[in-house]
């Protein structure tokens, strides 16, 4: 017994000694409190590999009380050839200390991971590197789907457009690979199967075309390569933007074919060229057209808009047209509002790119940024209005306009600048202005688009008004206020998500209020995709805009077309719209940036796209080309004007009384007088025998009923009509929102209801 006690005493002593040593060497030990972290430091800038190793040891020594020996003991690996960084055994506190050091982009644990992909697709629930399979369905037929991109061209050498292991070009393809500057027939392959360019309209309108970049389908701006790879890019193992958002990446339909129609040049895209592209695309045999472009709001009549006209003809030939809603941000700013196309708004994912802003009093804020530049130390911070120059007033200088800053006052300081417009280019330009004035950093105040990350040319970040007020409060009450801005880093898991982006254009439809626009929302905030090395010598870039949201829906539409090749454009659109969700990942209502208000159908249409449900919609709201002719008649087009669009013998005999009668997947009644009825027809694309029950959430102040309340289907492709009745129940101003959902045990087919009581009926309820 004494021997056992003695042994237990010795064991206890050893344990205590071990714990003491762990505590004593907490900063350097490989005790259970330390684990392996990756310290990522961005691109390699030509440093000598041996010098990099020495620098890594110096950084580690800083968190090991200056001991090089302990730093070397904790060091695991240095990344010193393709990019900069190292791996080391660190405590959580040491990892935090290193994360704040100059040059460090991010510090993250050495977690076990599966292969992963472009974050927006993972966020929406699609899996698979090359096929993007949706559970229960095969999308391998996407190799026979051809998607046309009317945009700025393509950079065919990008790994996103590799044709490795792709079968021969589909026999139906009648397109062409047009040669031009730095582009020839061999630039196309089994992935990029056709490419054309158009500049006659541009040339006719622009005073000088000597600056035109690449008179060929080659992309000189990056926009076209970005959108094409988002929708249909191949799997790329290590896609990143200067180290940010690193990981595998692919488009929505990685094995589909791409056809390129370059119509957009440095100053924009002209109608003449756009219509020529539509014309060729229809002849070439594309299945889907994607346009991340559009007119300024308010959009003019359908007759005066090349996209509306071109997409009308494309739809008539069975081609689905997907377009962006615009970046106007305001209510009623939606563009591309024709009912024959699907119009896409922009929202966030749960990934942000942010920089830490540390004030002299230790307060830490975060702002959105893609700048990897670093401040070596804290510097004085002032409002840009204090650095006014020449004939500029302090108010004007507060916006950091060109030549508005006094170099003497700005030199060596961090400037707080304001931003008024929704223009990403001007935000970038402000950082150039600050840099040229000698500023070492910039905090840009932009409430509307505070979540849009910009690649500033100096350490800089965007903050909203509330954060800016706190920063300026510190500046105003402190005798010598200082600040330091750290390089951008990738942040996963930001909440709530998705959120509708502040810049995304909103309804109502200013041209035809009876048609809800946008139709759907998809990721469009800080999206990583392929780029043109002609711009900044980068293969990939991070962009924001409804331009980025549009190709997400294009990719999803391509998967639907692959599984159901005979479906009409309107059936594909219906499947995308009626399967959308209106709750975020925390099962709370989706909100809108920047104010955080609850979103409605004018913000997101039918909701956030849900690709895991689009292949099993149950019911679809189908429409044929003749239905769109009837729609045009209902908004006042006569036989003569109709002929300008259809170029056939269509008449308005026996057509709709109102645009609301179009068999659309959403229902909008913009001028309700007492009561009104709308008829819809659904087609059964689910089980032959199925029953659906109506569930109604009525807009406030409106009584809504449906006849019949049950839809009983006996065979596949059977069509059933139903009528939705709206009746004013209580006075209400403005639009009210609800939904109609047809449900059975497996599915729910949901349509937004949008109603506004006619002004003459307010206060006159019976």
């Amino acid at each position: 017994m004494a021997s056992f006690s003695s042994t237990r005493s010795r064991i206890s002593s050893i344990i205590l000694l071990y714990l003491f040593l762990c505590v004593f060497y907490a900063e350097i030990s490989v005790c259970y409190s330390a684990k392996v972290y990756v310290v990522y430091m961005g691109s390699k800038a030509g440093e000598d590999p041996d010098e990099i190793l020495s620098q890594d040891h110096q950084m580690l020594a800083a968190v090991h009380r200056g001991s090089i020996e302990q730093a070397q003991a904790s060091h695991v690996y240095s990344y010193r050839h393709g990019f900069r960084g190292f791996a080391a055994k660190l405590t959580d506190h040491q990892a935090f200390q290193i994360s704040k050091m100059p040059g460090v982009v991010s510090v993250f644990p050495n977690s076990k991971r599966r292969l992963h992909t472009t974050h927006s697709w993972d966020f929406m629930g699609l899996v698979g590197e090359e096929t993007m399979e949706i559970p229960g369905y095969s999308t391998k037929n996407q190799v026979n789907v051809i998607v046309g991109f009317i945009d700025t061209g393509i950079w065919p050498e990008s790994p996103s457009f590799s044709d490795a292991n792709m079968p021969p070009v589909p026999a139906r393809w009648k397109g062409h690979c047009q040669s031009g500057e730095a582009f020839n027939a061999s630039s196309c392959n089994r992935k990029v199967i056709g490419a054309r360019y158009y500049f006659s309209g541009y040339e006719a309108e622009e005073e000088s075309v000597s600056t035109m970049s690449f008179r060929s389908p080659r992309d000189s701006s990056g926009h076209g390569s970005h959108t094409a790879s988002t929708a249909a890019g191949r799997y790329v193992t290590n896609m990143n933007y200067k180290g940010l958002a690193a990981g595998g990446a692919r488009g929505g339909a990685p094995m589909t074919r791409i056809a390129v129609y370059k119509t957009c040049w440095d100053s924009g895209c002209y109608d003449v060229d756009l219509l020529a592209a539509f014309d060729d695309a229809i002849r070439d045999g594309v299945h889907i057209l994607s346009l991340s472009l559009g007119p300024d709001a308010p959009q003019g009549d359908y007759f005066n808009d090349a996209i509306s006209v071109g997409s009308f003809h494309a739809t008539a030939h069975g081609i689905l047209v997907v377009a962006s809603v615009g970046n106007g941000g305001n209510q009623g700013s939606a563009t591309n509002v024709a009912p024959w196309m699907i119009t896409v708004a922009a929202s966030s994912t749960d990934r942000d790119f942010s920089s830490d802003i540390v004030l002299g009093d230790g307060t830490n804020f975060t702002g959105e940024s893609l700048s990897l530049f670093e401040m070596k130390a804290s510097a004085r911070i002032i409002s840009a209005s204090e650095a006014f120059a020449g004939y500029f007033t302090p108010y004007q200088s507060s916006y950091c306009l060109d030549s508005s800053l006094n170099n003497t006052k700005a030199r060596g300081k961090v400037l707080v600048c304001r931003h008024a417009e929704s223009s990403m280019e001007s935000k970038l330009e402000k950082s150039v202005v600050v840099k040229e004035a000698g500023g070492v950093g910039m905090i840009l105040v932009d409430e509307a688009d505070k979540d849009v990350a910009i690649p500033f040319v100096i350490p800089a970040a965007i903050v909203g008004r509330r954060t800016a007020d706190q920063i300026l409060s510190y500046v105003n009450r402190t005798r010598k206020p200082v600040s330091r801005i750290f390089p951008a880093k990738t942040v996963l898991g930001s909440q709530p998500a998705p959120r509708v982006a502040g810049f995304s254009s909103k309804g109502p439809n200013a041209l035809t209020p009876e048609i809800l626009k946008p139709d759907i929302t998809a990721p469009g905030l800080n999206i990583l995709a392929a780029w043109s090395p002609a711009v900044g010598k980068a293969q990939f870039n991070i962009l924001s805009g409804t331009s980025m949201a549009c190709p997400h829906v294009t990719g999803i539409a391509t998967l639907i077309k692959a599984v159901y090749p005979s479906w009409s454009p309107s059936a594909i659109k219906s499947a995308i719209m009626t399967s959308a969700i209106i709750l975020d990942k925390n099962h709370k209502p989706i909100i809108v940036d920047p104010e955080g208000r609850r979103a409605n159908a004018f913000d997101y249409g039918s909701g956030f796209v849900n690709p895991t449900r689009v292949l099993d919609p149950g019911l679809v709201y189908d429409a044929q080309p003749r239905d769109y002719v009837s729609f045009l008649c209902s908004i006042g087009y006569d036989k003569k004007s109709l002929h300008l669009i259809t170029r056939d013998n269509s008449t308005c005999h026996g057509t709709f009384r109102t645009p609301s009668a179009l068999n659309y997947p959403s229902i909008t009644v913009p001028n309700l007088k007492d009561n009104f009825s709308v008829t819809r027809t659904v087609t059964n694309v689910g089980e032959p025998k199925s029953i659906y029950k109506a569930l109604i959430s009525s807009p406030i102040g409106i009584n809504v009923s449906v006849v019949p309340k049950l839809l009983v289907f006996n065979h596949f492709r059977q069509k059933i009509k139903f009528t939705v009745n709206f009746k004013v129940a209580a006075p209400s101003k403005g639009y009210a929102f609800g939904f109609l959902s047809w449900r059975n045990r497996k599915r729910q087919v949901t349509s937004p209801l949008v109603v506004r009581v006619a002004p003459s009926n307010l206060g006159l309820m019976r």
Side-chain angles (χ1 to χ4, degrees):
M1 187 70 178
S3 174
F4 175 77
S5 298
S6 175
T7 301
R8 184 171 63 181
S9 177
R10 285 197 303 272
I11 291 172
S12 297
S13 298
I14 292 169
I15 291 173
L16 286 171
L17 177 61
Y18 177 76
L19 289 173
F20 171 78
L21 290 173
C22 273
V23 171
F24 184 76
Y25 293 107
E27 294 294 313
I28 61 164
S29 173
V30 193
C31 296
Y32 56 80
S33 61
K35 53 193 175 188
V36 176
Y37 281 86
V38 175
V39 179
Y40 176 65
M41 300 176 65
S43 301
K44 183 174 176 286
E47 303 99 326
D48 178 79
D50 292 334
E51 180 61 27
I52 288 174
L53 180 61
S54 175
Q55 291 171 6
D56 293 346
H57 287 161
Q58 291 291 339
M59 290 178 68
L60 285 168
V63 297
H64 284 298
R65 300 177 181 175
S67 170
I68 290 292
E69 291 79 9
Q70 293 166 2
Q72 291 172 338
S74 68
H75 178 266
V76 175
Y77 199 84
S78 276
Y79 309 111
R80 45 186 175 162
H81 302 292
F83 57 93
R84 280 282 278 111
F86 57 88
K89 296 171 185 172
L90 302 167
T91 65
D92 291 344
H93 180 63
Q94 289 170 331
F96 175 79
Q97 287 179 298
I98 288 179
S99 73
K100 300 302 179 185
M101 290 182 179
V104 175
V105 175
S106 57
V107 177
F108 49 91
N110 183 37
S111 305
K112 181 181 179 181
R113 300 179 186 274
R114 296 180 292 108
L115 288 173
H116 66 153
T117 55
T118 305
H119 192 71
S120 54
W121 292 109
D122 288 340
F123 180 70
M124 292 188 289
L126 286 191
V127 296
E129 292 176 8
E130 283 289 15
T131 57
M132 292 293 273
E133 294 295 334
I134 296 175
Y137 298 88
S138 173
T139 60
K140 288 182 172 59
N141 188 49
Q142 63 187 267
V143 296
N144 293 313
V145 180
I146 303 164
V147 180
F149 294 88
I150 298 180
D151 213 300
T152 66
I154 200 163
W155 194 270
E157 295 82 10
S158 168
S160 294
F161 308 124
S162 164
D163 67 351
N165 302 315
M166 292 195 72
V169 174
R172 67 163 280 154
W173 178 241
K174 301 181 181 64
H176 175 59
C177 194
Q178 184 179 1
S179 296
E181 183 183 355
F183 199 99
N184 54 44
S186 65
S187 299
C188 294
N189 57 21
R190 294 189 302 274
K191 177 65 176 175
V192 181
I193 63 173
R196 302 176 185 270
Y197 67 103
Y198 310 83
F199 63 87
S200 296
Y202 172 85
E203 198 171 40
E205 298 295 335
E206 299 291 327
E207 291 183 5
S208 172
V209 294
S210 59
T211 58
M212 182 185 288
S213 302
F214 296 128
R215 285 179 179 248
S216 73
R218 184 169 293 280
D219 183 9
S220 62
S221 82
H223 189 276
S225 301
H226 197 282
T227 56
S229 69
T230 299
R234 297 297 299 275
Y235 183 78
V236 178
T237 54
N238 185 29
M239 184 182 287
N240 66 86
Y241 173 75
K242 298 181 180 179
L244 294 172
R250 82 289 200 208
M255 295 295 284
T256 199
R257 316 298 181 137
I258 292 173
V260 176
Y261 301 88
K262 181 179 177 179
T263 60
C264 300
W265 305 87
D266 293 343
S267 63
C269 331
Y270 282 92
D271 280 357
V272 169
D273 299 330
L274 289 169
L275 284 171
F278 272 109
D279 193 37
D280 281 342
I282 293 168
R283 179 184 58 182
D284 290 347
V286 303
H287 298 97
I288 296 170
L289 276 170
S290 186
L291 290 93
S292 290
L293 55 101
D296 292 333
Q299 179 178 329
D301 186 87
Y302 298 120
F303 277 128
N304 301 318
D305 177 54
I307 297 173
S308 297
V309 174
S311 60
F312 180 88
H313 289 289
T315 303
H317 284 82
I319 299 168
L320 175 67
V321 178
V322 187
S324 47
V325 73
N327 297 333
N330 300 319
Q331 190 172 32
S333 61
T335 62
N336 289 326
V337 295
W340 45 82
M341 65 176 79
I342 185 164
T343 309
V344 188
S347 49
S348 70
T349 67
D350 62 349
R351 179 176 68 186
D352 282 335
F353 302 99
S354 64
S355 289
D356 287 326
I357 303 166
V358 181
L359 304 183
D361 63 1
T363 309
N364 191 352
F365 298 100
T366 59
E368 208 73 11
S369 180
L370 291 176
S371 172
L372 296 179
F373 295 100
E374 60 181 277
M375 290 178 62
K376 301 291 185 184
S378 295
R380 282 290 302 275
I381 177 173
I382 63 171
S383 169
S385 62
E386 295 181 31
F388 69 96
Y391 295 103
F392 289 90
T393 66
Y395 176 79
Q396 291 170 326
S397 296
S398 72
Y399 287 91
C400 295
L401 304 174
D402 190 22
S403 303
S404 70
L405 300 176
N406 181 301
N407 290 14
T408 302
K409 297 176 184 176
R411 187 174 295 115
K413 296 182 178 67
V414 174
L415 271 61
V416 181
C417 302
R418 301 201 295 176
H419 183 73
E421 307 145 41
S422 186
S423 166
M424 288 180 224
E425 291 179 355
S426 66
K427 293 179 195 176
L428 182 62
E429 184 61 29
K430 288 179 192 295
S431 69
V432 174
V433 171
V434 172
K435 181 179 181 181
E436 289 177 347
V440 297
M442 179 183 72
I443 297 170
L444 185 60
V445 185
D446 182 17
E447 180 64 18
D449 294 332
K450 62 188 178 188
D451 295 318
V452 178
I454 301 292
F456 297 111
V457 300
I458 56 174
I462 300 171
V463 299
R465 193 176 299 117
R466 186 179 302 174
T467 300
D469 288 344
Q470 295 179 66
I471 292 172
L472 289 172
S473 174
Y474 160 76
V475 171
N476 293 332
R477 70 173 185 267
T478 307
R479 196 166 71 87
K480 289 186 177 180
V482 295
S483 176
R484 185 177 178 187
I485 303 171
F486 288 85
K489 58 184 182 295
T490 306
V491 180
L492 289 174
S494 62
Q495 298 294 336
R499 309 177 309 277
V500 178
F503 59 75
S504 186
S505 291
K506 317 288 193 295
N509 182 335
L511 190 56
T512 312
E514 294 86 352
I515 302 298
L516 175 65
K517 291 289 176 174
D519 293 305
I520 197 78
T521 190
L525 187 67
N526 302 326
I527 303 300
L528 174 68
W531 193 241
S532 167
V535 186
K537 299 181 180 179
Q539 278 195 311
F540 310 105
N541 201 1
I542 294 170
L543 296 182
S544 295
T546 53
S547 279
M548 284 64 253
C550 171
H552 280 93
V553 173
T554 300
I556 292 165
T558 301
L559 298 181
I560 300 174
K561 188 71 176 178
V563 176
Y564 305 112
S566 65
W567 277 20
S568 69
S570 58
I572 294 173
K573 175 165 68 174
S574 176
I576 291 171
M577 291 173 65
T578 61
S579 61
I581 55 175
I582 59 174
L583 300 179
D584 66 21
K585 294 296 182 179
N586 291 328
H587 306 289
K588 295 180 179 179
I590 293 172
I591 63 171
V592 184
D593 284 337
E595 63 267 45
R597 65 172 172 82
R598 182 170 177 167
N600 59 50
F602 286 159
D603 304 307
Y604 53 48
S606 295
F608 184 76
V609 67
N610 183 11
T612 61
R613 284 186 51 216
V614 295
L615 293 181
D616 187 21
L619 308 174
V620 293
Y621 294 82
D622 210 350
Q624 302 304 318
R626 65 179 177 274
D627 296 314
Y628 297 123
V629 172
S630 296
F631 162 80
L632 292 175
C633 293
S634 74
I635 59 174
Y637 284 40
D638 58 20
K639 182 177 179 179
K640 182 179 179 181
S641 58
L642 192 64
H643 179 69
L644 294 174
I645 285 189
T646 64
R647 298 293 177 184
D648 61 19
N649 296 320
S650 297
T651 69
C652 289
H653 178 70
T655 55
F656 307 149
R657 279 190 311 110
T658 166
S660 295
L662 179 66
N663 199 42
Y664 212 69
S666 58
I667 300 175
T668 304
V669 182
N671 199 33
L672 179 60
K673 299 175 181 177
D674 192 22
N675 61 76
F676 184 76
S677 296
V678 174
T679 299
R680 290 286 187 270
T681 301
V682 285
T683 303
N684 180 26
V685 293
E687 287 86 3
K689 292 186 178 296
S690 52
I691 299 174
Y692 290 83
K693 182 179 181 180
L695 174 68
I696 300 168
S697 174
S698 296
I700 294 173
I702 310 296
N703 286 335
V704 181
S705 60
V706 180
V707 179
K709 294 180 179 179
L710 285 180
L711 301 180
V712 181
F713 292 93
N714 295 307
H715 58 84
F716 184 68
R717 304 293 301 182
Q718 180 182 352
K719 297 178 183 292
I720 295 181
K721 286 187 177 182
F722 63 88
T723 301
V724 184
N725 303 300
F726 299 89
K727 185 173 178 60
V728 178
S732 61
K733 288 186 178 181
Y735 281 92
F737 304 89
F739 63 82
L740 163 65
S741 187
W742 291 105
R743 300 188 178 191
N744 62 18
R745 284 178 295 178
K746 282 185 64 177
R747 304 177 187 88
Q748 54 187 48
V749 185
T750 303
S751 296
L753 304 177
V754 182
V755 183
R756 183 178 62 175
V757 176
S760 60
N761 279 51
L762 293 177
L764 300 179
M765 305 301 109
R766 292 195 288 271

